[in-house]
Amino acid sequence: MLIATTDSIAERETQQTLGMVRGATVRSKHIGTDIVAGLRNLVGGEQTGYSSLLAGAREQALDRMIEQAEQMNADAIVGFRMETSAIMDGASEIVAYGTAVRLK
């Protein structure tokens, strides 16, 4: 699946616009991660537990978006974006979205 943040794929012509596709996931923190993060705050540095959590969430949202585009028989997703929002204390939603298209 070709994915682009631009509105088109270079050197390819869009034959048909199929519609918006999206994938989302909600992830929450783990108490063990919070404890390690609290200790890390004392000395500074990257919060690797949270980085790993969000990286996994982004991949899952992306996979779900691609799955929806494949069900529509799309060749590509254009206008790709990804957003994050806090939905409650300790939980974030990741949303990946774009426009599914067929290419010539």
Side-chain angles (χ1 to χ4, degrees), residues 35-86:
I35 292 170
V36 172
L39 295 172
R40 173 78 64 191
N41 275 342
L42 296 174
V43 295
E46 180 182 4
Q47 297 291 348
T48 56
Y50 293 142
S51 294
S52 176
L53 175 76
L54 289 174
R58 284 189 298 270
E59 287 302 313
Q60 186 174 45
L62 183 62
D63 289 345
R64 289 176 176 175
M65 179 190 68
I66 291 169
E67 183 180 318
Q68 186 179 17
E70 287 172 342
Q71 290 173 358
M72 299 168 77
N73 294 316
D75 299 316
I77 299 169
V78 295
F80 169 70
R81 302 289 183 270
M82 191 170 277
E83 294 185 12
T84 303
S85 62

